Amino acid sequence: MIPAAFEYHRPKDMAGVLAVLTQYGDDARVMAGGHSLIPMMKLRMADVPHLIDLQSVEGLGGISVADGVVRLGAMVTQHDIIDSAELASAAPILRETSLQIADPQVRYMGTIGGNVANGDPGNDMPGLMQCLDATFHLVGPDGERTVAARDFYESAYMTAREDDEVLTAVSFAVPQGGYGYVKQKRKIGDYATAAAAVQLVKENGVCTAASIAMTNLSDTPVHSVAAGDALVGTSVDDAAIKAAVQAMLGDIDPAQDNRGPVEFKRHAASVILRRTIERAWSRA
Amino acid sequence: MKDEVTTRESRVDALGGMGCKRKRVEDARFTQGKGNYVDDIKLKGMLFGDFVRSPYAHARIKSIDTSAALALDGVIAVLTAEDLRPLGLHWMPTLAGDKQMVLADGKVLFQGQEVAYVVAKDRYIAADAVELVEVDYEELPVIVDPFEALKSDVVLREDLVAEDGSLPDGAHGPRKHHNHIFTWEVGEKEATTQVLDSAEVVAEETVYYHRTHPCPLETCGCVASMDKVNGKLTLWGTFQAPHAIRTVVSLISGIEEHNIRVISPDIGGGFGNKVGAYPGYVCSVVASIVTGVPVKWIEDRMENLMTTAFARDYWMTGKISATKEGKITGLQCHVTADHGGFDACADPTKFPAGFMNICTGSYDIPTAYLAVDGVYTNKAPGGVSYRCSFRVTEAVYFIERMIEVLAIELNMDAAELRRINFIRKDQFPYKAALGWEYDSGDYHTAWDKAMKAVDYDGLRAEQAQRVEDFKAGKTRKLMGIGLTHFTEIVGAGPVKNCDILGLGMFDSCEIRIHPTGSAIARLGTISQGQGHATTFAQILATEIGLPADSITIEEGDTDTAPYGLGTYGSRSTPVAGAATALAGRKIRAKAQMIAAYLLEVHDDDVEFDVDRFVVKGAPEKFKTMKEIAFAAYNQAIPGIEPGLEAVSYYDPPNMTYPFGAYVCVMDIDVDTGEVDIRRFYALDDCGTRINPMIIEGQVHGGLTEALAVALGQEIAYDEMGNVKTGTLMDFFLPTAWEVPNYETDHTVTPSPHHPIGAKGVGESPHVGGVPCFSNAVNDAFRAFGLRHTHMPHDHWRIWKTANELGLHG
Ligand SMILES: Cc1cc2nc3c(=O)[nH]c(=O)nc-3n(C[C@H](O)[C@H](O)[C@H](O)COP(=O)(O)OP(=O)(O)OC[C@H]3O[C@@H](n4cnc5c(N)ncnc54)[C@H](O)[C@@H]3O)c2cc1C
């Protein structure tokens, strides 16, 4: 559990970060909270000759809610999210999710940027960001661009982000209606056996919009359009929930691991999604 | 005088002796980060060792190329078996009478096995160099299943097969197959078969107690320092038995024992993992001898989980018979024990399966038979007693599951079945069918107290309602009631039948009273969190009448402490605690003579009273122990040597047999397999209670480790012999989050043969807790036809059980 030697860079601004990234290419990598990257380096599964610490880079923090848009700087920690009164009222699903990530020590360090950029299907934020139809803000040597969270994930640890790009923020429209993030895990600090993010709108007893995403049930987060569609126009009764669950099962592709075989995960995903929908509907 | 107005009660309180909730004296340094663990030791010029380990579970080593590693700046040496061979140290003896490769000698037998040892100027260089050692492996067929091992043509241990293909006897007699280690039989085979064949009711079940690991927070490690000038070797390490380590090091290295000093500093938990000797110790000693400077070796978490001693891995097949009314008539148990690539179990020499023959449990079972077959597989060696006396948790798990299965067979309540089969109070000392003589017990009283405390009948009524509700579709949660009555066998042990590597399992205490009335006592044991510095001072305070706060307890330095066999198997209080009391009594006997001299009366005319000797019938005439201590050093007393010291070596006449009654109530979500422990009641009877607060802490810790094992903690392998649970992400170590509230309770049935009647408690909660949690899971499904499902009861396995019972509709 001892990493290979590396050079440590701690630039003060984004230009400094990009300069190191440009100079060393594949050999350089940014670090946010380090709680995914450092374990990988210690296991020698990640070889990072040039480590760029983002902690001192200006302008990567801050939570703002303005004009119906929530914006989180990449270096906002999970603890910051839990702590923010503004977020608790504008997008309570973020707090609910963050409280189910790891433990307080990890949450003091782990960032939203690191969590979504990591590309680990076990991370909880990517599914949530897909549910919320978030936008990821990237900057690279060729300037800034945005990528939709729903288009960002390609396969495990492979994302639309180029190696020389840095994620600076995530943003999304203030979510409407009822919400829920339910996660089954074996213990504190564990990644999900199955988790679901649901955000839905109820008008006159009818669901008018629904967004559903699943965590750790495929090699990327799974935004199940069909599952959301199955709820829209219904009163979210048992039949509608069954249809949504059925649709979701068509979109996930879980792998066997120590949490259990595929069959169990599919069952757990069904149960968790049902509970999440019920919770969201009850809050809508 | 102030003393005269002091009441007896307040004098007792002032001592902080036995029975009081004295605060742990260790905690000040631990809670302030001032402990001194092995990895805190930093010596001038110290080098670091690190292992090249096998990625394969079974492979031949064709070549090892160390040149690139040696070329790295800062690398001092790379040791392989070839370097150790001339010293005869490429293999080492195990505690189980087998031998184990220190560094791979031509082949590897488990994933993570030590192949080469790199010595470098710092840890980082050592870790880099490990990557540069090139090993050419030729993979061999892997066997991870002990039943397959006994049928397979694949020979795991060629070194144990003679040239003509015959199998020489092992340390425990004849071997049946080249992958077979021993057969151990206890009890009456024929008679048991007869009883079972003619019984009215027989229940049969196979109970697998999965492989797991003690996983102490601090991993194993050592610092070896050979002083070439004076020829002395000092070895600091995470040793649960420092004296035994000194003797082993002397025997295998040839260094005279007086030239070896072994020191166990603060130890961050042991739970059996730190009893044995590991290749890291041998390599570090050799490296220090070769380089002439100190060498440190510290395992990382994965190395600890993958290579140092595991626990359990017992396949136990049982048959239990009874009359129609539920009176048990016989018990048979056969164990297939997976020992991994080397037999490195830590058991007393004559007990290759430990005290598995305590498997008749708390019950009066007239006829019984046990046979254990030890088997080699391509898994890590070990088989230590993880928070239990030797294989006692396996035995208790087995019998407590068999009782439940028998209750199902009889269609009887499992609490009642236990009650009618308990050994009665008047039967003690009780000679069990498998040989042990239980010292004392009062099981019915404990059981009835437990049943009353939890309102057992009320719980069963609630459970019945829950089953109705479940069937009616009103709930998806089932309720499980877990019961356990365990009897432990701890305090190894009598030298006549207990030894490790020929060293009798006595223990010791040496006391020196200082002139001003304070004292130091040294013991042959070593605390790893048990709080010895607190409790042994309490024993002494009561025995010698000096305040516990004035008594320093020191352990773990073989140059100063008397010889002892260390701390594991709940043996410290039963053995070293007895030595402490008896050494204290020697002090008191001499103090009595001094007091009589000072009071100018005959020895028989004074008597001990809390903290002083008083003249019989004249309580105003006395000498306090403090005064007596001073007199021992400043007065010439005719016929009495100066000074006040004593040493006692205690060879226990018998084991002690703590027991307890536990109840667990849980709710199980049949859809997700999640478990919610609503209630856990633990009644422990550990005989005389030295410090109720420490007992409670031990019970909480042991129950938490029991919860871990029962509900998910395991060392799992895939069919290629890869460890699937090598990090704490997958190896379950509970935190405050997963731990329920525990209710503790007690009865007190002193041990009749122990000087203070104490029996030991550190392991009871683990031994009793595992079956209690497991029984609760099994019980939840009893109404739906389940007889038995294996641990660990993690989510998916519980889900699978529910699924197989058709509960998912
Ligand atoms: C014990 C433990 C339990 C955990 N449990 C959970 C859990 O249940 N759920 C969960 O979601 N997570 C969990 N985590 C992960 C934790 O939340 C991490 O902190 C998070 O995934 C990554 O955030 P970080 O800031 O630590 O990123 P880092 O580890 O610093 O980086 C992770 C990756 O993202 C890249 N990266 C980081 N920031 C940027 C950026 N701004 N732009 C581009 N690339 C970037 C890095 O180069 C690296 O490849 C756990 C971690 C631990 C140690």
Side-chain angles (χ1 to χ4, degrees), chain B residues 182-204:
Chain B
F182 64 83
T183 300
W184 188 57
E185 289 178 279
V186 195
E188 297 172 82
K189 188 176 183 177
E190 305 293 310
T192 306
T193 309
Q194 270 177 24
V195 168
L196 291 169
D197 286 350
S198 58
E200 290 175 2
V201 180
V202 179
E204 197 173 341

Side-chain angles (χ1 to χ4, degrees), chain A residues 1-5 43-44 184-191 258-261 263-264 267 271-272 275, chain B residues 123-124 127-128 131 300 302 669 671-672 674 724 728-732 735 737-738 795-796 799 808:
Chain A
M1 303 265 213
I2 287 179
L43 292 166
R44 298 197 175 215
Q184 178 174 356
K185 57 185 173 186
R186 296 170 297 180
K187 56 175 182 180
I188 265 307
D190 194 18
Y191 293 97
N258 287 327
R259 294 177 187 84
E263 206 194 350
F264 165 63
H267 188 104
V271 175
I272 294 301
R275 291 180 186 173
Chain B
R123 275 188 184 153
Y124 292 84
D128 287 343
E131 304 241 301
D300 67 27
M302 290 177 77
D669 183 328
D671 290 318
T672 60
E674 287 165 306
K724 297 199 290 177
L728 296 185
M729 185 55 81
D730 287 308
F731 184 86
F732 176 36
T735 66
W737 184 266
E738 290 85 11
H795 296 171
W796 84 263
W799 173 84
H808 293 140

Side-chain angles (χ1 to χ4, degrees), chain B residues 344-420:
Chain B
C345 279
D347 290 314
T349 307
K350 298 189 188 76
F351 298 89
F355 303 155
M356 183 63 202
N357 55 329
I358 193 76
C359 66
T360 51
S362 307
Y363 312 101
D364 183 14
I365 303 180
T367 313
Y369 170 70
L370 163 73
V372 182
D373 281 302
V375 184
Y376 290 120
T377 61
N378 290 122
K379 298 185 192 168
V384 294
S385 312
Y386 167 12
R387 203 159 185 150
C388 66
S389 190
F390 311 100
R391 299 287 186 187
V392 172
T393 187
E394 287 90 329
V396 171
Y397 183 62
F398 168 76
I399 184 67
E400 289 301 299
R401 286 299 309 135
M402 291 309 293
I403 289 285
E404 295 280 320
V405 172
L406 179 62
I408 291 170
E409 196 71 42
L410 289 160
N411 195 22
M412 216 175 141
D413 177 76
E416 183 56 19
L417 177 61
R418 284 179 173 86
R419 190 183 284 114
I420 62 177

Side-chain angles (χ1 to χ4, degrees), chain A residues 3 35-36 46 57 81 91 140 148 172 177 205 225 229 262 266 280:
Chain A
H35 272 49
S36 292
V57 176
I81 293 174
F172 50 88
V225 179
D229 287 351
V262 171
R266 293 179 68 81

Side-chain angles (χ1 to χ4, degrees), chain B residues 107-130:
Chain B
K107 74 182 288 192
V108 288
L109 286 157
F110 63 95
Q111 187 183 47
Q113 188 178 328
E114 300 79 3
V115 174
Y117 183 78
V118 172
V119 186
K121 282 194 171 148
D122 68 40
R123 275 188 184 153
Y124 292 84
I125 297 171
D128 287 343
V130 162

